[in-house]
Amino acid sequence: MEIVTTNNVLVIVLSVLFSCHYILCDLNISVHDVRLKLHENCVVNISYDKEDYNKNVIIENQHNDIIQVIREFNITEDSPNPFPVLIKAVGAGHSEMYATVDNKTLDDVFVRVTVYKINGLDTFSAVIGWIYFVAWSVSFYPQIYINWKRKSVVGLNFDFIALNVVGFTLYSLFNLGLFYIPEIQDEYFTRHPRGMNPVKVNDIFFAVHATLATIITIIQCYVYEREEQRVSTTARSILGIFGLFIFISIILSVCKVIHWLDLLYYCSYVKLTITLIKYVPQAYMNYKRKSTIGWSIGNIFLDFSGGMLSMLQMIVDAYNYDDWVSIFGDPTKFGLGLFSVVFDIFFIVQHYFLYKTSNYDVSQ
């Protein structure tokens, strides 16, 4: 009796697997990412096995005002293999096409299509991106240099440094985890089956480099003259709250209440919060001292340049891809860049206008 039951179960399992294969088909597409200039066309190929004959394939299109494609076709013995699908670019922007069979979406049969207006703007945007990447990367060194030259960190706010090192450390963890850890990558693509990994190599370099540069500055704070400066109770409390939040998130991840990907997202949220508040202590310290001596204006100019170019790139891309939603629909990145630029302008006003003359000795 037990043998019969086992055989029956085996037959049922095989039948289910066969049925799933029959429903979903074994289709493959030649490419997942396509870039087209407005009004250009291209062809992608969908290949199939002979077991998929007599199937009706429907091509779903996310935005008909951006691309036009053939909506459906039947696979027969006389159909070409691979089957060509023509994509027409009718509007600038981003769209996605994917295939369904018997109302079942085929996760691996999709194409992300980007339609741009002007090819030169795409190159211009890439150049801008590298320039602001370099500007932000180099922006840490004027402060390190001025500390070394003066053999003093008097005038550099320790709250700013403490918030900065925690923010960039969490940002590094987010980038490294999502780029290098397969389990986290698998979870990301499970949630976003047709998405791309948002972390690039230059993101990792910038985050890790920023963390190391900030650590060098912290070492200078221990080595050089600092008078009575220290991390304030307010900053310690804020960092304590952040630390408790991350610690609880780690415990929840270990206990599998949340996924490790969620932990990385929480790290990124803390980083964003720190970016919003980290400039306040330095601006207030300059106001109290009525001086910007010890606070590098070179750092501010580079940060200002990077922020302006970052926003310019977003505007250029929004125009070229007709994607203004990326700015006004989800204003976080643009808003953070604008927020940093406003603070940079405030620091420039402090340095060159409000506190141009100071009782502080530059040689301190």
Side-chain angles (χ1 to χ4, degrees):
M1 181 67 179
E2 182 179 354
I3 297 176
V4 174
T5 303
T6 303
N7 288 338
N8 289 339
V9 170
L10 181 60
V11 170
I12 293 173
V13 171
L14 290 175
S15 299
V16 170
L17 291 175
F18 177 78
S19 299
C20 290
H21 176 78
Y22 178 83
I23 293 174
L24 296 181
C25 293
D26 188 17
L27 302 185
N28 295 286
I29 199 160
S30 57
V31 64
H32 286 308
D33 292 280
V34 170
R35 288 176 48 81
L36 290 173
K37 188 175 180 180
L38 186 61
H39 305 309
E40 284 185 346
N41 302 330
C42 77
V43 173
V44 297
N45 294 311
I46 296 180
S47 58
Y48 53 88
D49 293 335
K50 62 181 181 180
E51 290 84 359
D52 296 323
Y53 291 155
N54 301 318
K55 299 291 196 310
N56 180 252
V57 180
I58 298 177
I59 304 297
E60 302 287 350
N61 183 17
Q62 189 179 23
H63 299 293
N64 291 321
D65 57 338
I66 295 177
I67 60 173
Q68 292 180 352
V69 297
I70 183 173
R71 295 312 303 270
E72 64 179 294
F73 62 91
N74 292 309
I75 299 176
T76 67
E77 293 185 10
D78 298 326
S79 299
N81 190 4
F83 192 94
V85 176
L86 178 66
I87 302 176
K88 298 180 179 180
V90 296
H94 304 274
S95 187
E96 186 177 281
M97 52 165 277
Y98 55 93
T100 63
V101 176
D102 297 332
N103 295 320
K104 300 292 184 179
T105 300
L106 308 180
D107 289 337
D108 291 334
V109 185
F110 68 91
V111 180
R112 292 177 291 247
V113 183
T114 300
V115 181
Y116 59 88
K117 295 178 180 177
I118 303 173
N119 189 46
L121 282 183
D122 199 49
T123 304
F124 179 61
S125 173
V127 172
I128 291 175
W130 279 107
I131 292 176
Y132 81 69
F133 168 75
V134 172
W136 273 342
S137 297
V138 176
S139 67
F140 298 92
Y141 292 101
Q143 186 65 58
I144 293 174
Y145 173 74
I146 196 174
N147 294 343
W148 170 79
K149 184 177 180 181
R150 296 171 65 237
K151 299 298 186 289
S152 171
V153 292
V154 176
L156 174 61
N157 188 271
F158 285 15
D159 290 359
F160 170 77
I161 296 299
L163 290 168
N164 231 12
V165 73
V166 172
F168 284 125
T169 299
L170 294 176
Y171 187 43
S172 298
L173 291 175
F174 174 83
N175 288 332
L176 290 168
L178 198 51
F179 193 83
Y180 286 112
I181 300 178
E183 179 187 1
I184 294 177
Q185 290 179 344
D186 291 342
E187 176 63 20
Y188 179 84
F189 290 118
T190 298
R191 300 184 189 185
H192 311 281
R194 294 184 290 273
M196 294 185 297
N197 194 324
V199 177
K200 308 300 180 185
V201 174
N202 60 333
D203 295 323
I204 296 174
F205 174 83
F206 173 77
V208 174
H209 171 265
T211 303
L212 295 176
T214 307
I215 290 174
I216 292 174
T217 307
I218 291 175
I219 294 173
Q220 289 182 319
C221 292
Y222 283 98
V223 174
Y224 297 143
E225 171 62 30
R226 62 179 182 274
E227 291 187 345
E228 300 299 322
Q229 292 182 156
R230 63 183 182 85
V231 178
S232 70
T233 302
T234 301
R236 291 172 187 265
S237 300
I238 293 174
L239 292 174
I241 293 172
F242 288 155
L244 179 62
F245 173 69
I246 296 298
F247 178 74
I248 293 174
S249 300
I250 292 174
I251 297 299
L252 293 176
S253 299
V254 171
C255 297
K256 297 184 178 181
V257 176
I258 63 174
H259 196 275
W260 289 104
L261 177 62
D262 296 310
L263 171 63
L264 294 186
Y265 280 142
Y266 297 158
C267 290
S268 70
Y269 300 154
V270 173
K271 160 60 179 165
L272 291 176
T273 305
I274 287 175
T275 301
L276 288 173
I277 65 176
K278 69 178 183 179
Y279 294 105
V280 175
Q282 184 66 57
Y284 181 68
M285 182 179 184
N286 294 344
Y287 163 75
K288 285 185 63 178
R289 297 170 72 238
K290 299 298 187 290
S291 172
T292 58
I293 293 175
W295 171 242
S296 172
I297 196 63
N299 166 38
I300 297 305
F301 277 122
L302 288 167
D303 189 65
F304 175 80
S305 300
M308 290 295 292
L309 290 173
S310 173
M311 291 189 295
L312 176 61
Q313 185 190 48
M314 292 183 67
I315 293 172
V316 169
D317 289 343
Y319 170 77
N320 202 26
Y321 303 124
D322 200 16
D323 186 22
W324 298 101
V325 174
S326 62
I327 295 179
F328 301 111
D330 184 14
T332 302
K333 182 179 178 180
F334 188 85
L336 287 173
L338 181 61
F339 185 83
S340 298
V341 165
V342 169
F343 256 105
D344 290 334
I345 293 174
F346 182 71
F347 284 128
I348 291 172
V349 171
Q350 283 186 323
H351 184 81
Y352 287 106
F353 297 98
L354 297 180
Y355 314 131
K356 187 175 181 180
T357 58
S358 173
N359 294 326
Y360 275 82
D361 184 359
V362 179
S363 62
Q364 279 186 325

PDB file of all heavy atoms in Angstrom, residues 3 24 36 40 81-82 90 107 164 167 196 198 203 211 239 276 278 298 350-351:
ATOM      1  N   ILE A   3       3.892   1.616  -1.220  1.00  0.00           N
ATOM      2  CA  ILE A   3       4.559   1.784  -2.517  1.00  0.00           C
ATOM      3  C   ILE A   3       3.614   2.441  -3.511  1.00  0.00           C
ATOM      4  O   ILE A   3       3.978   3.344  -4.260  1.00  0.00           O
ATOM      5  CB  ILE A   3       5.061   0.425  -3.056  1.00  0.00           C
ATOM      6  CG1 ILE A   3       6.112  -0.166  -2.107  1.00  0.00           C
ATOM      7  CG2 ILE A   3       5.619   0.579  -4.448  1.00  0.00           C
ATOM      8  CD1 ILE A   3       6.598  -1.542  -2.514  1.00  0.00           C
ATOM      9  N   LEU A  24       3.758  27.843 -18.833  1.00  0.00           N
ATOM     10  CA  LEU A  24       4.671  28.971 -18.855  1.00  0.00           C
ATOM     11  C   LEU A  24       5.512  29.053 -20.110  1.00  0.00           C
ATOM     12  O   LEU A  24       5.980  30.112 -20.472  1.00  0.00           O
ATOM     13  CB  LEU A  24       5.597  28.903 -17.623  1.00  0.00           C
ATOM     14  CG  LEU A  24       4.887  29.043 -16.279  1.00  0.00           C
ATOM     15  CD1 LEU A  24       5.916  28.974 -15.152  1.00  0.00           C
ATOM     16  CD2 LEU A  24       4.096  30.328 -16.200  1.00  0.00           C
ATOM     17  N   LEU A  36      17.092  53.480 -27.535  1.00  0.00           N
ATOM     18  CA  LEU A  36      16.695  53.941 -28.858  1.00  0.00           C
ATOM     19  C   LEU A  36      16.597  55.460 -28.873  1.00  0.00           C
ATOM     20  O   LEU A  36      16.179  56.073 -27.881  1.00  0.00           O
ATOM     21  CB  LEU A  36      15.332  53.359 -29.246  1.00  0.00           C
ATOM     22  CG  LEU A  36      15.245  51.868 -29.554  1.00  0.00           C
ATOM     23  CD1 LEU A  36      13.787  51.473 -29.751  1.00  0.00           C
ATOM     24  CD2 LEU A  36      16.057  51.532 -30.795  1.00  0.00           C
ATOM     25  N   GLU A  40      13.349  55.989 -33.744  1.00  0.00           N
ATOM     26  CA  GLU A  40      14.095  54.840 -34.270  1.00  0.00           C
ATOM     27  C   GLU A  40      13.350  53.546 -33.966  1.00  0.00           C
ATOM     28  O   GLU A  40      12.481  53.487 -33.086  1.00  0.00           O
ATOM     29  CB  GLU A  40      15.500  54.778 -33.663  1.00  0.00           C
ATOM     30  CG  GLU A  40      16.473  55.783 -34.228  1.00  0.00           C
ATOM     31  CD  GLU A  40      17.873  55.593 -33.678  1.00  0.00           C
ATOM     32  OE1 GLU A  40      18.027  54.865 -32.667  1.00  0.00           O
ATOM     33  OE2 GLU A  40      18.814  56.159 -34.254  1.00  0.00           O
ATOM     34  N   ASN A  81      11.730  30.885 -36.022  1.00  0.00           N
ATOM     35  CA  ASN A  81      12.342  30.683 -34.709  1.00  0.00           C
ATOM     36  C   ASN A  81      13.815  31.105 -34.790  1.00  0.00           C
ATOM     37  O   ASN A  81      14.595  30.448 -35.482  1.00  0.00           O
ATOM     38  CB  ASN A  81      12.231  29.219 -34.282  1.00  0.00           C
ATOM     39  CG  ASN A  81      12.632  29.009 -32.829  1.00  0.00           C
ATOM     40  OD1 ASN A  81      12.925  29.963 -32.118  1.00  0.00           O
ATOM     41  ND2 ASN A  81      12.636  27.749 -32.407  1.00  0.00           N
ATOM     42  N   PRO A  82      14.216  32.202 -34.173  1.00  0.00           N
ATOM     43  CA  PRO A  82      13.437  33.023 -33.237  1.00  0.00           C
ATOM     44  C   PRO A  82      12.415  33.905 -33.940  1.00  0.00           C
ATOM     45  O   PRO A  82      12.568  34.226 -35.112  1.00  0.00           O
ATOM     46  CB  PRO A  82      14.511  33.863 -32.546  1.00  0.00           C
ATOM     47  CG  PRO A  82      15.593  33.981 -33.561  1.00  0.00           C
ATOM     48  CD  PRO A  82      15.632  32.664 -34.283  1.00  0.00           C
ATOM     49  N   VAL A  90       8.273  55.927 -30.058  1.00  0.00           N
ATOM     50  CA  VAL A  90       7.356  57.010 -30.447  1.00  0.00           C
ATOM     51  C   VAL A  90       7.356  58.168 -29.458  1.00  0.00           C
ATOM     52  O   VAL A  90       6.761  59.208 -29.716  1.00  0.00           O
ATOM     53  CB  VAL A  90       5.925  56.467 -30.609  1.00  0.00           C
ATOM     54  CG1 VAL A  90       5.869  55.454 -31.745  1.00  0.00           C
ATOM     55  CG2 VAL A  90       5.415  55.838 -29.307  1.00  0.00           C
ATOM     56  N   ASP A 107       8.684  35.756 -16.379  1.00  0.00           N
ATOM     57  CA  ASP A 107       9.591  36.698 -15.718  1.00  0.00           C
ATOM     58  C   ASP A 107      10.860  36.967 -16.508  1.00  0.00           C
ATOM     59  O   ASP A 107      11.432  38.058 -16.435  1.00  0.00           O
ATOM     60  CB  ASP A 107       9.964  36.177 -14.318  1.00  0.00           C
ATOM     61  CG  ASP A 107       8.792  36.265 -13.357  1.00  0.00           C
ATOM     62  OD1 ASP A 107       7.892  37.095 -13.604  1.00  0.00           O
ATOM     63  OD2 ASP A 107       8.784  35.519 -12.363  1.00  0.00           O
ATOM     64  N   ASN A 164      29.132  62.505  10.053  1.00  0.00           N
ATOM     65  CA  ASN A 164      29.631  62.168   8.719  1.00  0.00           C
ATOM     66  C   ASN A 164      30.172  60.742   8.662  1.00  0.00           C
ATOM     67  O   ASN A 164      29.879  59.991   7.727  1.00  0.00           O
ATOM     68  CB  ASN A 164      30.727  63.156   8.311  1.00  0.00           C
ATOM     69  CG  ASN A 164      30.472  63.752   6.942  1.00  0.00           C
ATOM     70  OD1 ASN A 164      29.388  63.620   6.380  1.00  0.00           O
ATOM     71  ND2 ASN A 164      31.464  64.414   6.394  1.00  0.00           N
ATOM     72  N   GLY A 167      27.343  58.237   8.851  1.00  0.00           N
ATOM     73  CA  GLY A 167      26.564  58.252   7.614  1.00  0.00           C
ATOM     74  C   GLY A 167      27.262  57.530   6.480  1.00  0.00           C
ATOM     75  O   GLY A 167      26.658  56.696   5.792  1.00  0.00           O
ATOM     76  N   MET A 196      17.329  46.403 -12.219  1.00  0.00           N
ATOM     77  CA  MET A 196      18.784  46.334 -12.293  1.00  0.00           C
ATOM     78  C   MET A 196      19.361  46.706 -10.929  1.00  0.00           C
ATOM     79  O   MET A 196      18.755  47.486 -10.180  1.00  0.00           O
ATOM     80  CB  MET A 196      19.325  47.293 -13.365  1.00  0.00           C
ATOM     81  CG  MET A 196      18.936  46.924 -14.787  1.00  0.00           C
ATOM     82  SD  MET A 196      19.725  48.002 -16.012  1.00  0.00           S
ATOM     83  CE  MET A 196      19.034  49.595 -15.588  1.00  0.00           C
ATOM     84  N   PRO A 198      20.949  48.751  -8.387  1.00  0.00           N
ATOM     85  CA  PRO A 198      21.148  50.203  -8.382  1.00  0.00           C
ATOM     86  C   PRO A 198      22.552  50.634  -7.976  1.00  0.00           C
ATOM     87  O   PRO A 198      22.911  51.802  -8.144  1.00  0.00           O
ATOM     88  CB  PRO A 198      20.110  50.699  -7.365  1.00  0.00           C
ATOM     89  CG  PRO A 198      19.948  49.539  -6.427  1.00  0.00           C
ATOM     90  CD  PRO A 198      20.093  48.308  -7.275  1.00  0.00           C
ATOM     91  N   ASP A 203      29.867  53.956  -6.955  1.00  0.00           N
ATOM     92  CA  ASP A 203      29.164  54.204  -5.699  1.00  0.00           C
ATOM     93  C   ASP A 203      29.936  53.603  -4.524  1.00  0.00           C
ATOM     94  O   ASP A 203      30.052  54.222  -3.459  1.00  0.00           O
ATOM     95  CB  ASP A 203      27.759  53.586  -5.750  1.00  0.00           C
ATOM     96  CG  ASP A 203      26.877  54.238  -6.789  1.00  0.00           C
ATOM     97  OD1 ASP A 203      26.971  55.469  -6.965  1.00  0.00           O
ATOM     98  OD2 ASP A 203      26.103  53.522  -7.451  1.00  0.00           O
ATOM     99  N   THR A 211      34.424  57.346   3.738  1.00  0.00           N
ATOM    100  CA  THR A 211      34.563  56.830   5.108  1.00  0.00           C
ATOM    101  C   THR A 211      36.013  56.907   5.566  1.00  0.00           C
ATOM    102  O   THR A 211      36.307  57.371   6.687  1.00  0.00           O
ATOM    103  CB  THR A 211      34.068  55.380   5.188  1.00  0.00           C
ATOM    104  OG1 THR A 211      32.706  55.316   4.738  1.00  0.00           O
ATOM    105  CG2 THR A 211      34.147  54.865   6.616  1.00  0.00           C
ATOM    106  N   LEU A 239      23.103  60.007  17.689  1.00  0.00           N
ATOM    107  CA  LEU A 239      23.821  58.825  17.226  1.00  0.00           C
ATOM    108  C   LEU A 239      23.429  57.589  18.027  1.00  0.00           C
ATOM    109  O   LEU A 239      23.388  56.469  17.498  1.00  0.00           O
ATOM    110  CB  LEU A 239      25.335  59.062  17.323  1.00  0.00           C
ATOM    111  CG  LEU A 239      25.908  60.105  16.350  1.00  0.00           C
ATOM    112  CD1 LEU A 239      27.383  60.350  16.636  1.00  0.00           C
ATOM    113  CD2 LEU A 239      25.720  59.647  14.904  1.00  0.00           C
ATOM    114  N   LEU A 276      20.634  65.331   6.081  1.00  0.00           N
ATOM    115  CA  LEU A 276      19.758  66.476   6.318  1.00  0.00           C
ATOM    116  C   LEU A 276      20.196  67.319   7.513  1.00  0.00           C
ATOM    117  O   LEU A 276      19.910  68.516   7.554  1.00  0.00           O
ATOM    118  CB  LEU A 276      18.318  66.000   6.526  1.00  0.00           C
ATOM    119  CG  LEU A 276      17.577  65.496   5.294  1.00  0.00           C
ATOM    120  CD1 LEU A 276      16.232  64.896   5.691  1.00  0.00           C
ATOM    121  CD2 LEU A 276      17.373  66.620   4.288  1.00  0.00           C
ATOM    122  N   LYS A 278      23.540  67.092   9.196  1.00  0.00           N
ATOM    123  CA  LYS A 278      24.957  67.128   9.561  1.00  0.00           C
ATOM    124  C   LYS A 278      25.589  68.510   9.443  1.00  0.00           C
ATOM    125  O   LYS A 278      26.579  68.793  10.126  1.00  0.00           O
ATOM    126  CB  LYS A 278      25.747  66.110   8.728  1.00  0.00           C
ATOM    127  CG  LYS A 278      25.865  66.465   7.253  1.00  0.00           C
ATOM    128  CD  LYS A 278      26.702  65.428   6.507  1.00  0.00           C
ATOM    129  CE  LYS A 278      26.902  65.803   5.050  1.00  0.00           C
ATOM    130  NZ  LYS A 278      27.738  64.796   4.334  1.00  0.00           N
ATOM    131  N   GLY A 298      37.525  75.489   0.797  1.00  0.00           N
ATOM    132  CA  GLY A 298      37.764  74.660  -0.378  1.00  0.00           C
ATOM    133  C   GLY A 298      36.836  73.463  -0.414  1.00  0.00           C
ATOM    134  O   GLY A 298      36.322  73.072  -1.475  1.00  0.00           O
ATOM    135  N   GLN A 350      28.856  83.110   5.099  1.00  0.00           N
ATOM    136  CA  GLN A 350      29.532  83.254   6.394  1.00  0.00           C
ATOM    137  C   GLN A 350      31.003  83.601   6.215  1.00  0.00           C
ATOM    138  O   GLN A 350      31.540  84.491   6.894  1.00  0.00           O
ATOM    139  CB  GLN A 350      29.409  81.960   7.211  1.00  0.00           C
ATOM    140  CG  GLN A 350      28.060  81.740   7.868  1.00  0.00           C
ATOM    141  CD  GLN A 350      28.078  80.520   8.780  1.00  0.00           C
ATOM    142  OE1 GLN A 350      28.714  79.508   8.487  1.00  0.00           O
ATOM    143  NE2 GLN A 350      27.367  80.605   9.888  1.00  0.00           N
ATOM    144  N   HIS A 351      31.677  82.894   5.304  1.00  0.00           N
ATOM    145  CA  HIS A 351      33.123  83.039   5.150  1.00  0.00           C
ATOM    146  C   HIS A 351      33.518  84.375   4.530  1.00  0.00           C
ATOM    147  O   HIS A 351      34.466  85.026   4.999  1.00  0.00           O
ATOM    148  CB  HIS A 351      33.662  81.894   4.289  1.00  0.00           C
ATOM    149  CG  HIS A 351      35.152  81.885   4.153  1.00  0.00           C
ATOM    150  ND1 HIS A 351      35.983  81.359   5.117  1.00  0.00           N
ATOM    151  CD2 HIS A 351      35.973  82.350   3.165  1.00  0.00           C
ATOM    152  CE1 HIS A 351      37.241  81.486   4.736  1.00  0.00           C
ATOM    153  NE2 HIS A 351      37.260  82.082   3.545  1.00  0.00           N
TER     154      HIS A 351
END
